Amino acid sequence: MTFSLPPSVEVRDRRVRRSRAALLRAAIELVTERGTAAVPISELAEAADVSRQVLYQQFGDRDALLLEAALDLARRDLMPRLGDPAATVPGRARSLALARHFAEYRGFYRAVMTGSTAFALSRALEGLLVPFNRRLFHEAFGGTLDARTVDDLATYLTGGGHAFVYSWLIDGDDPLDPEEFADRLTRMVSVVVDALLARHAAGGEAVP
């Protein structure tokens, strides 16, 4: 099973691009400031200096705006930090990049991950990270696993990793410590991969 981020919307009209960017920025700023995703549409529109009608025309409703704001943030800030999924990058480097991103935007993510957009956002973020874990298993097993098994393992690890990050974001001590969490995340992934490798080498299946 694979998930993918909804494609970013290409907008050619300059005025529409400006108002759209202003709404995305306002959503992140107000949600972070209030600590809740329940920010009135009228206030989001006012902060972006657009009418409510413009917000409805471009996003349909508040949930769609908040989801797109989160995905836009992930595309602009998280993905460049993680680099190309096909590139060989040390595991801790990517763990630390991920931890720093979520720590920096904790207030926003904590609000939207516990609000009405939580499920859709979780699916989309998992889709963003699956390719990195797919690469991890390709490298670890040296191409000895079939594509379906690699995909299943990547999805499985991504789901567990998401729950791990979610718990840290929601319940972690303030301020969050990205360095410490990166160590924990890297250690968790190493334990899982090493256990699977040992089982595979012993002639068992990749997973129990």
Side-chain angles (χ1 to χ4, degrees), residues 1-190:
M1 183 183 300
T2 59
F3 309 116
S4 60
L5 282 172
S8 57
V9 178
E10 182 179 357
V11 180
R12 297 187 177 184
D13 187 287
R14 188 177 301 172
R15 290 171 300 178
V16 174
R17 286 203 307 269
R18 281 199 298 264
S19 60
R20 184 180 181 83
L23 282 164
L24 295 174
R25 185 167 55 251
I28 293 172
E29 291 175 353
L30 285 183
V31 168
T32 300
E33 176 187 317
R34 307 283 177 81
T36 176
V39 179
I41 284 180
S42 59
E43 294 184 24
L44 290 166
E46 182 180 357
D49 196 24
V50 301
S51 67
R52 291 176 51 152
Q53 182 180 8
V54 167
L55 188 155
Y56 286 125
Q57 287 174 342
Q58 295 197 17
F59 294 99
D61 57 29
R62 181 182 61 197
D63 282 357
L65 168 58
L66 296 181
L67 177 59
E68 185 56 36
L71 299 185
D72 182 68
L73 180 59
R75 294 185 189 104
R76 288 186 296 102
D77 190 84
L78 177 58
M79 291 183 72
R81 297 191 194 202
L82 295 177
D84 186 343
T88 301
V89 177
R92 190 183 186 281
R94 280 187 170 147
S95 294
L96 183 57
L98 183 144
R100 284 175 172 166
H101 170 80
F102 283 107
E104 182 176 346
Y105 296 100
R106 181 188 193 182
F108 174 71
Y109 279 117
R110 182 158 56 178
V112 294
M113 283 182 170
T114 55
S116 54
T117 61
F119 178 74
L121 178 57
S122 294
R123 291 290 294 268
L125 289 177
E126 287 174 14
L128 182 148
L129 296 173
V130 160
F132 295 96
N133 288 328
R134 189 181 294 121
R135 169 76 179 191
L136 170 69
F137 285 112
H138 271 303
E139 293 177 350
F141 287 89
T144 61
L145 297 180
D146 63 273
R148 178 62 181 271
T149 300
V150 169
D151 197 55
D152 287 345
L153 286 170
T155 302
Y156 180 82
L157 183 61
T158 303
H162 173 82
F164 196 45
V165 172
Y166 178 92
S167 177
W168 180 61
L169 275 176
I170 305 304
D171 300 321
D173 293 335
D174 220 358
L176 295 176
D177 184 346
E179 294 280 350
E180 185 266 346
F181 185 74
D183 288 338
R184 292 170 59 197
L185 182 58
T186 304
R187 184 166 54 250
M188 178 197 70
V189 173
S190 295

